[in-house]
Amino acid sequence: MGFLDLAVYVVGFWVILHVLRFLSRRRYPSASYSLPGSRSLSKPSSTNIVLEQCYLRAELKGLNRLHDDFVTWLEKSSSFRQLASLVYDLGSVLSLIGVVLAIVFLGWTLVQLGAKAFTVPSSTPSTLFHVGTVYKRQLQEGNTATPHDGTQRSFVGDHPISFLIPGVTIPFSHLIPLLVTLLIAQGLHEVGHAFAAALDSIPILSCGLTLTLIVPAAFVSLPSHAVKRCSPRSRLRIISSGPFHNLVLWAAIALWTVLGIDRIFWSLAGYQYVGHFGRAIVNINTESSLHQYLPIGSIITKLDDYRLVSFDSSHDPWTEYLTRPIVFNTGIQLGWCVARDWVLSHDESCCTSHNQTSGVSCFASKPSASTPLIQRCLPPLTILDVKSSQAARRCSSASDCTETDFCLISKSKNVMMRIEYYISDSVVPGIPHDDLDARLKSIVWSGPKEEILEDVEVGTYLPRFPFLPRRLPTTIGLFVEYLSTLSLSLFLLNLLPLPLLDGGQLLDAALDFAEPYMPPVQEDHYSLSNLEAGNVDPNTGRSIAATARWKQQVLDASMMLTAILLSCCGSLGLINIATGK
């Protein structure tokens, strides 16, 4: 599904909802509901649905009664209530630490984005977004695990924040898993607020789900006056409980991964882990030109000279290589040393004509004092293939090659990428495992890397039995990965000290909690006249006005700092996008 298909579905969805609301109003003009079928659901303690433009809100009033029953049970279970209060007190401490970490993280992001924005980039391969071309040839000899050159590559553009934008930074097909996991993470966040409120016998006013265009969300509304009447400790628990739930979920997923429980689970379910060898192809878009060349079930072992080996399940070399621009450490476009006689035996028709010739691409020699500029149409796989008779070492200039070789660079405007894959038993059973000539193949892709990421779905597990679904571990793993990422993101973002986020309210409650530990006012201020005028708190002996000013100054300073950091990060991010960095 592409962007235009999504737009059609979204427009159709909202048009249908508004048509249904129009018909329901004509049939029940005096009813208070907005959609047909909600007449019986709009009674008290049930569901109320509101539709406005591209905003849909469903208040699940039945959950209010469930929350009230839970509050009644907590009042009878004092031991559980005390234990839960201690756990959420720990959550308050962790969330306060999270406020500091969120600000530090934002500052670190600003430094990274600034360094990227004001750094002159090295030359990177250009990409044109059009249909790619595939060149294929079988390997002639056994493969080795060592790349054919010792060139070290580095990924540029590393920064702490990675925006999850379907069709840009992640495949467009990930849109639905991204939205579903966002709803789950946010729902768990709101459950935290409701649970902590129940510990102090605070009811909820409303709760439910919303849909804004295509973005779902969950909400819980608490009576503000009841929360303000709570002690600072209770307010800290209620405010921090949402981020605390997100942190606990992230930690649980991280622990599950670090301990390798996921591998044990999938092994017992009948799947084999292949991440230490490469990335298994579990699905390919049938409209992609790669569909007829890459067998589903085979294992991609290399992209160019970059091996897709990962012993850490949190590291994804496939996505990393295909989403980040690649430069060589020298900052110079490297070429290949290729035999002169073989190069000169080809013509240069594709270099002088706009018509593409199937199976070949234009290469040019790097000129030197003794080497003129030579352009020839050469089969790229023959040069890039590590086992080809013409397989070449890399060069930065003609002096890196012998007198019998040219230092060739690609003149194609497309990125050329060698894809090496291993034919597993699930594709062609019966091939001896030591017959690498039959199992190891390679193709060369000419086109945008993003198209490979969009069209080819890979994973780290293959089924041991043919009746098991090949995409199941990848699909579940994708949901778990996004759930982990979004949980940690919600924890940090919600703790930024801003008025509309949990961080601003948490800092306010923390200052109230710290007030008893502040030094009292001078004795001459602690007089009967000040007490009668209400200028001094009789319990603490502190000036109410001075305390309020101090508290407001701290809140204003923290919020101002956060706003400045956010605006600078946004501006630098836009600069990097505009300059293609």
Side-chain angles (χ1 to χ4, degrees):
M1 181 176 66
F3 177 78
L4 292 179
D5 295 331
L6 175 66
V8 171
Y9 290 140
V10 171
V11 171
F13 171 77
W14 288 107
V15 167
I16 291 174
L17 286 184
H18 281 278
V19 169
L20 291 176
R21 183 180 67 169
F22 174 77
L23 295 177
S24 66
R25 283 180 171 177
R26 293 190 60 183
R27 185 175 180 182
Y28 306 105
S30 61
S32 60
Y33 51 87
S34 300
L35 295 176
S38 62
R39 186 178 186 182
S40 59
L41 296 177
S42 60
K43 297 177 181 179
S45 74
S46 190
T47 302
N48 182 36
I49 300 177
V50 177
L51 175 63
E52 297 177 356
Q53 287 80 42
C54 292
Y55 174 78
L56 182 65
R57 175 187 177 98
E59 293 186 6
L60 308 177
K61 296 184 178 180
L63 295 180
N64 292 22
R65 184 174 60 252
L66 181 63
H67 184 267
D68 294 339
D69 294 340
F70 181 61
V71 170
T72 303
W73 180 81
L74 283 175
E75 293 174 350
K76 299 177 182 178
S77 306
S78 58
S79 57
F80 177 83
R81 188 174 187 173
Q82 292 176 357
L83 177 61
S85 297
L86 290 176
V87 172
Y88 281 89
D89 285 339
L90 174 62
S92 300
V93 175
L94 294 177
S95 295
L96 288 173
I97 296 175
V99 171
V100 179
L101 291 178
I103 297 177
V104 172
F105 181 78
L106 200 57
W108 180 38
T109 302
L110 177 62
V111 172
Q112 297 294 320
L113 290 175
K116 185 177 180 181
F118 299 109
T119 300
V120 179
S122 303
S123 58
T124 57
S126 59
T127 58
L128 292 180
F129 287 85
H130 56 77
V131 178
T133 305
V134 177
Y135 306 99
K136 185 182 182 206
R137 191 176 73 88
Q138 293 187 355
L139 297 178
Q140 297 177 352
E141 300 178 14
N143 186 30
T144 62
T146 305
H148 68 274
D149 62 76
T151 305
Q152 297 295 321
R153 298 187 178 191
S154 62
F155 294 97
V156 300
D158 292 338
H159 48 81
I161 291 182
S162 297
F163 296 98
L164 301 178
I165 307 175
V168 180
T169 60
I170 60 175
F172 194 80
S173 58
H174 290 191
L175 176 62
I176 293 179
L178 181 65
L179 294 178
V180 171
T181 51
L182 175 62
L183 180 60
I184 294 174
Q186 195 174 25
L188 187 65
H189 178 101
E190 299 300 329
V191 167
H193 291 309
F195 188 94
L199 295 176
D200 288 278
S201 302
I202 297 178
I204 59 177
L205 296 178
S206 63
C207 64
L209 304 173
T210 65
L211 181 65
T212 306
L213 194 58
I214 62 171
V215 180
F219 69 90
V220 167
S221 178
L222 300 174
S224 57
H225 63 280
V227 176
K228 290 180 180 179
R229 285 201 306 263
C230 292
S231 65
R233 179 180 175 183
S234 297
R235 286 170 56 205
L236 283 172
R237 280 200 303 262
I238 296 172
I239 297 169
S240 65
S241 56
F244 179 54
H245 273 211
N246 292 132
L247 180 64
V248 170
L249 178 59
W250 172 81
I253 295 175
L255 187 64
W256 172 279
T257 303
V258 170
L259 296 180
I261 302 177
D262 54 339
R263 295 192 190 182
I264 298 175
F265 172 80
W266 288 115
S267 178
L268 294 176
Y271 289 86
Q272 178 184 6
Y273 182 76
V274 297
H276 57 277
F277 188 56
R279 287 297 182 266
I281 303 175
V282 297
N283 189 49
I284 299 180
N285 187 350
T286 55
E287 298 180 358
S288 172
S289 55
L290 288 166
H291 186 266
Q292 57 181 320
Y293 295 103
L294 291 176
I296 296 178
S298 58
I299 304 172
I300 298 179
T301 57
K302 287 183 184 179
L303 296 176
D304 292 328
D305 301 322
Y306 186 67
R307 290 189 291 175
L308 303 180
V309 177
S310 175
F311 296 96
D312 180 7
S313 56
S314 63
H315 176 226
D316 184 8
W318 169 265
T319 304
E320 183 180 60
Y321 191 87
L322 293 177
T323 55
R324 300 184 181 180
I326 302 172
V327 296
F328 295 97
N329 289 344
T330 58
I332 302 174
Q333 183 181 6
L334 297 187
W336 296 267
C337 294
V338 185
R340 293 190 176 209
D341 294 340
W342 183 78
V343 172
L344 295 175
S345 65
H346 294 77
D347 60 55
E348 56 178 343
S349 58
C350 69
C351 298
T352 58
S353 172
H354 294 290
N355 297 326
Q356 293 187 352
T357 304
S358 177
V360 297
S361 184
C362 182
F363 288 83
S365 62
K366 286 197 170 187
S368 66
S370 59
T371 305
L373 176 63
I374 299 294
Q375 295 187 132
R376 289 294 186 270
C377 301
L378 306 173
L381 184 58
T382 305
I383 298 175
L384 273 64
D385 190 354
V386 294
K387 301 314 298 176
S388 168
S389 59
Q390 294 296 332
R393 67 180 185 273
R394 305 307 294 269
C395 56
S396 59
S397 64
S399 60
D400 294 336
C401 304
T402 65
E403 295 182 355
T404 59
D405 292 340
F406 285 126
C407 181
L408 299 181
I409 59 174
S410 172
K411 301 297 291 184
S412 173
K413 295 182 179 180
N414 294 331
V415 172
M416 287 194 302
M417 179 186 300
R418 185 180 74 252
I419 304 176
E420 296 184 14
Y421 62 94
Y422 177 87
I423 299 179
S424 62
D425 292 334
S426 62
V427 179
V428 181
I431 301 178
H433 290 276
D434 57 351
D435 189 359
L436 297 182
D437 183 46
R439 283 189 176 272
L440 288 169
K441 312 292 179 182
S442 74
I443 63 174
V444 169
W445 165 263
S446 178
K449 297 185 300 179
E450 294 81 359
E451 193 170 322
I452 300 178
L453 185 65
E454 179 69 33
D455 292 338
V456 182
E457 182 181 348
V458 299
T460 55
Y461 292 92
L462 281 177
R464 290 192 177 94
F465 309 103
F467 58 85
L468 292 176
R470 186 179 288 111
R471 301 179 64 182
L472 182 60
T474 305
T475 302
I476 295 180
L478 183 66
F479 274 91
V480 172
E481 179 183 356
Y482 281 139
L483 188 59
S484 173
T485 301
L486 293 175
S487 296
L488 183 60
S489 300
L490 286 176
F491 171 75
L492 292 174
L493 291 178
N494 268 288
L495 290 178
L496 289 174
L498 293 174
L500 299 179
L501 300 179
D502 292 333
Q505 303 174 53
L506 187 67
L507 185 59
D508 181 86
L511 293 175
D512 289 341
F513 183 81
E515 182 181 346
Y517 303 98
M518 296 171 55
V521 297
Q522 300 296 328
E523 292 184 2
D524 56 345
H525 292 171
Y526 194 39
S527 61
L528 182 61
S529 60
N530 283 330
L531 286 174
E532 292 177 346
N535 297 328
V536 176
D537 188 336
N539 298 319
T540 62
R542 296 174 182 84
S543 171
I544 296 177
T547 302
R549 284 196 303 271
W550 172 82
K551 175 182 173 182
Q552 193 61 43
Q553 288 172 357
V554 174
L555 290 174
D556 291 343
S558 60
M559 292 180 184
M560 180 66 70
L561 174 62
T562 305
I564 293 174
L565 291 175
L566 273 177
S567 59
C568 291
C569 286
S571 300
L572 290 175
L574 292 176
I575 292 175
N576 289 335
I577 293 175
T579 56
K581 294 182 180 180

